[in-house]
Amino acid sequence: MPLVSMNAFLPQAKKEGFAVGQFNVNNLEFVQAIIEAGKEERSPLIFGASEGAIRYMGLNNVVALAKAAAEEADVPVALHLDHGSSFEVVMKCIRAGFSSVMFDGSHYPFEENIRLTKKVVEAAHAVGVSVEGELGTIGGVEDDLNVSEEDAALADPDQAIRFWEETKVDAMAIAVGTAHGMYKGEPKIRYDIIEKVASQIEAPIVLHGGSGVPDESIQKAVSLGVGKINVNTENQVAMVKVVRELLDNNPDMIDPRKYLGPAREAIKETVKAKMRLFGSSGKA
Ligand code: 13P
């Protein structure tokens, strides 16, 4: 199938009470692992590409890899820009072939975030590309984003509802207590915020920082209206564990296929488990 917008599956996710995973890609093996997981689980999926990953892999390579993977799969696949920082970056990705974008205007004052997000929605929707907006500040470290615990700010539910009414984004990321990267303790998720916002807007809520969140917390969040969950760190951890073990135990190993192949398997198993947990397995 060609790449599709997130609107090919997010409305169904919200209606039927499951979430679709955004799995960030960092290299070829991530793309292969994620698409294989989707095919085996018969699950819709979202390839996430951050600006850092795009710099590392090259914009055209990201699009070519995602397109090739989607075209040989019979499950719906979106290629989504993660935390797009400007109108220009968003437009560049759309022109290159992304089927979905996030515009992260959360660091702007509220009204300015609305104004800029509306501009992105107007341009993206004109060419059938879905848009995710963000309100509140998600803590933790991810590529260019580094938000300390003190600076992380939960989303105000009334503001989130107004933000959606004005922008009509297709997916609404709100800061509810999760963070990018692994957690030291257990994240304190504000389910009341999820519930209030989800019940008042059509778009599903997006949970960033999906790695390391206990299964029960994920299930509860999905039952309250989370329809998209982002995962990156857990796949990286699964990959590096295998690579480290193999290289430590085999000092003569030099063929990258010998350690990246098994690492790719580890990512695939991690993604498959997430698809089952999110309830998206069998929904394609
Ligand atoms: P984790 O790295 O914590 O899984 O978060 C990923 C994410 O939210 C991407 O936007």
Side-chain angles (χ1 to χ4, degrees):
M1 263 189 230
L3 290 169
V4 294
S5 118
M6 296 199 297
N7 288 327
F9 44 73
L10 285 190
Q12 181 200 359
K14 173 126 187 187
K15 199 162 133 239
E16 295 180 18
F18 65 91
V20 178
Q22 172 192 308
F23 302 101
N24 283 47
V25 297
N26 298 285
N27 63 11
L28 169 67
E29 282 73 17
F30 273 78
V31 175
Q32 293 173 318
I34 295 160
I35 200 74
E36 283 309 311
K39 287 193 317 200
E40 288 179 22
E41 289 298 316
R42 299 229 41 82
S43 168
L45 64 93
I46 302 157
F47 284 128
S50 66
E51 289 181 26
I54 292 170
R55 276 197 303 274
Y56 177 78
M57 296 172 76
L59 181 60
N60 292 332
N61 291 334
V62 173
V63 175
L65 289 174
K67 267 192 176 161
E71 271 159 19
E72 54 111 21
D74 54 356
V75 298
V77 178
L79 173 60
H80 183 71
L81 169 65
D82 193 22
H83 293 284
S85 61
S86 68
F87 184 78
E88 289 70 26
V89 169
V90 164
M91 289 304 121
K92 223 172 150 183
C93 289
I94 293 176
R95 277 195 76 169
F98 277 59
S99 62
S100 188
V101 290
M102 174 181 190
F103 173 69
D104 179 357
S106 59
H107 44 286
Y108 289 105
F110 181 59
E111 297 298 337
E112 185 65 356
N113 188 4
I114 289 183
R115 190 183 72 77
L116 292 168
T117 306
K118 263 170 107 163
K119 206 169 125 187
V120 168
V121 169
E122 196 182 339
H125 281 183
V127 289
V129 167
S130 48
V131 180
E132 173 181 342
E134 178 174 326
L135 199 66
T137 319
I138 295 158
V141 181
E142 194 197 25
D143 283 348
D144 309 338
L145 299 173
N146 187 343
V147 179
S148 69
E149 224 170 275
E150 308 83 70
D151 290 338
L154 296 174
D156 175 286
D158 292 320
Q159 278 196 340
I161 294 162
R162 215 191 107 214
F163 181 93
W164 181 79
E165 283 168 349
E166 298 225 10
T167 62
K168 292 290 190 314
V169 286
D170 307 290
M172 180 81 203
I174 49 175
V176 292
T178 55
H180 295 124
M182 278 302 194
Y183 298 93
K184 287 196 192 82
E186 215 177 273
K188 286 190 194 65
I189 299 178
R190 287 286 301 272
Y191 299 105
D192 57 319
I193 301 179
I194 297 175
E195 189 169 23
K196 180 163 180 194
V197 179
S199 65
Q200 300 292 315
I201 70 172
E202 276 167 38
I205 304 293
V206 183
L207 196 69
H208 280 248
S211 294
V213 179
D215 289 1
E216 317 77 64
S217 308
I218 292 283
Q219 279 159 340
K220 186 164 176 190
V222 172
S223 76
L224 295 173
V226 164
K228 172 177 181 280
I229 303 176
N230 293 5
V231 177
N232 187 19
T233 304
E234 263 190 65
N235 286 331
Q236 295 181 335
V237 169
M239 176 182 225
V240 82
K241 183 169 179 280
V242 170
V243 173
R244 202 167 266 146
E245 267 170 26
L246 280 167
L247 294 182
D248 279 351
N249 296 332
N250 304 279
D252 296 332
M253 190 178 266
I254 53 162
D255 181 346
R257 294 170 296 185
K258 296 271 185 337
Y259 51 89
L260 291 179
R264 182 173 63 192
E265 274 303 302
I267 299 172
K268 184 177 89 176
E269 291 309 318
T270 308
V271 172
K272 284 174 71 172
K274 293 294 176 201
M275 288 170 165
R276 281 183 224 135
L277 174 65
F278 299 168
S280 67
S281 293
K283 295 293 186 182

